[in-house]
């Protein structure tokens, strides 16, 4: 049952009187398990869209970015720039095709 867990989970388990078997993943495994967690968290959000599930997706996303040397502020600036230039996804437009003139 190997699963990447939040940093405080081993301590929480120990504080409850149980003994977790944990190790620190190397970079390759860490990234792979973050991607796995993102899929799991996204599925949980699809099944129960709530702020708690959104927070889990956000935390995994931040960790993935950090592993790739991408800062939170950089992402926010890039996202705002793209939103200003190309818009958001709020209206629900679905592009079927582009007719060449």
């Amino acid at each position: 049952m190997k699963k990447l867990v939040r940093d405080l989970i081993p301590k929480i388990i120990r504080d409850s009187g149980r003994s977790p078997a944990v190790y620190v993943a190397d970079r390759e495994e860490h990234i792979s398990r973050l991607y796995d967690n993102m899929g799991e968290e996204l599925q949980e959000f699809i099944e129960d869209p709530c702020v708690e599930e959104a927070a889990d997706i956000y935390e995994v996303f931040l960790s993935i970015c950090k592993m790739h040397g991408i800062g939170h502020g950089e992402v926010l600036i890039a996202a705002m720039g793209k939103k200003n230039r190309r818009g958001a996804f709020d209206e629900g437009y679905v592009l079927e095709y582009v007719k060449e003139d």
Side-chain angles (χ1 to χ4, degrees):
M1 169 198 153
K2 291 183 181 180
K3 177 182 171 78
L4 185 67
V5 295
R6 289 177 176 264
D7 297 341
L8 294 180
I9 296 300
K11 180 184 181 326
I12 292 168
I13 292 170
R14 282 190 293 275
D15 289 350
S16 75
R18 298 175 291 161
S19 299
V22 298
Y23 65 92
V24 177
D26 64 22
R27 178 179 170 73
E28 184 177 316
E29 181 182 6
H30 190 176
I31 291 171
S32 176
R33 291 194 182 275
L34 281 168
Y35 291 150
D36 290 344
N37 273 27
M38 181 60 86
E40 291 172 19
E41 298 301 347
L42 182 57
Q43 187 58 45
E44 289 174 10
F45 183 82
I46 289 169
E47 293 169 8
D48 180 22
C50 65
V51 71
E52 290 297 318
E53 298 301 343
D56 288 341
I57 292 169
Y58 185 69
E59 192 62 40
V60 174
F61 171 73
L62 291 177
S63 292
I64 290 170
C65 288
K66 184 177 179 181
M67 292 295 293
H68 291 290
I70 301 168
H72 179 246
E74 292 176 86
V75 173
L76 291 176
I77 290 168
M80 290 306 298
K82 287 187 98 169
K83 184 175 182 177
N84 289 336
R85 289 187 313 276
R86 302 177 67 99
F89 293 94
D90 298 336
E91 301 298 326
Y93 294 120
V94 177
L95 182 65
E96 294 184 74
Y97 61 89
V98 176
K99 183 178 177 182
E100 298 297 331
D101 295 327

